[in-house]
Amino acid sequence: MKKADLNKYEAKLLEEQIKLNQDLAGIGTFNTENSQWEAMPTSQDGPESDMVDLADRVEDYEGRSEMVKTLSRRLTDIQDALKKITTGGYGVCEISGEKIEEARLDANPAARTCKGHINE
Ligand SMILES: [Zn+2]
């Protein structure tokens, strides 16, 4: 891949990485012991909160957990892609070893596979 293209994808990946970290910081906390993002626990409102509030807060926590998982997976893909730009192997399908199509990388610079292996 041409250096100019690598720079283009790297810039996109870095931009998305910053945004993902900001989004994660809004709903989660980074656990430095296992290097994983975790959903922020629900704050306690005080003794007067009733059962409806409790159910709502649990649902919110579950919603945050799901979102944290989704964003973390995406962040991992981006970090792996950035590593490949530095160490080599960026833009190569992890299944077939073929070059990943430019249109696919334009749509998703963190793509791990070519169009033929999109679901693997
Ligand atoms: Zn492939």
Side-chain angles (χ1 to χ4, degrees):
M1 187 180 285
K2 279 188 288 218
K3 185 92 178 93
D5 286 334
L6 273 181
N7 288 344
K8 178 181 76 176
Y9 294 126
E10 184 176 35
K12 280 190 180 191
L13 287 162
L14 288 171
E15 194 181 317
E16 192 174 345
Q17 181 178 239
I18 289 167
K19 199 183 162 299
L20 277 170
N21 276 312
Q22 285 169 345
D23 287 349
L24 279 163
I27 54 170
T29 50
F30 190 71
N31 184 336
T32 49
E33 275 171 37
N34 58 12
S35 298
Q36 303 254 334
W37 280 94
E38 291 168 357
M40 213 177 272
T42 305
S43 58
Q44 298 297 319
D45 287 333
E48 71 274 12
S49 52
D50 58 27
M51 289 305 287
V52 176
D53 282 347
L54 184 65
D56 279 350
R57 290 207 306 267
V58 170
E59 204 174 290
D60 282 349
Y61 178 75
E62 283 169 1
R64 278 201 300 278
S65 289
E66 276 309 302
M67 187 60 74
V68 164
K69 266 185 228 158
T70 304
L71 295 176
S72 298
R73 272 198 295 268
R74 179 73 189 155
L75 187 59
T76 302
D77 286 347
I78 287 176
Q79 286 166 341
D80 286 351
L82 284 167
K83 250 180 254 167
K84 285 184 196 167
I85 288 181
T86 309
T87 60
Y90 178 76
V92 175
C93 174
E94 288 183 0
I95 309 281
S96 60
E98 304 269 337
K99 273 190 199 163
I100 300 175
E101 298 82 355
E102 208 177 315
R104 176 147 163 73
L105 288 175
D106 282 337
N108 175 16
R112 295 174 182 275
T113 57
C114 69
K115 279 182 187 166
H117 298 108
I118 203 161
N119 292 318
E120 293 181 51

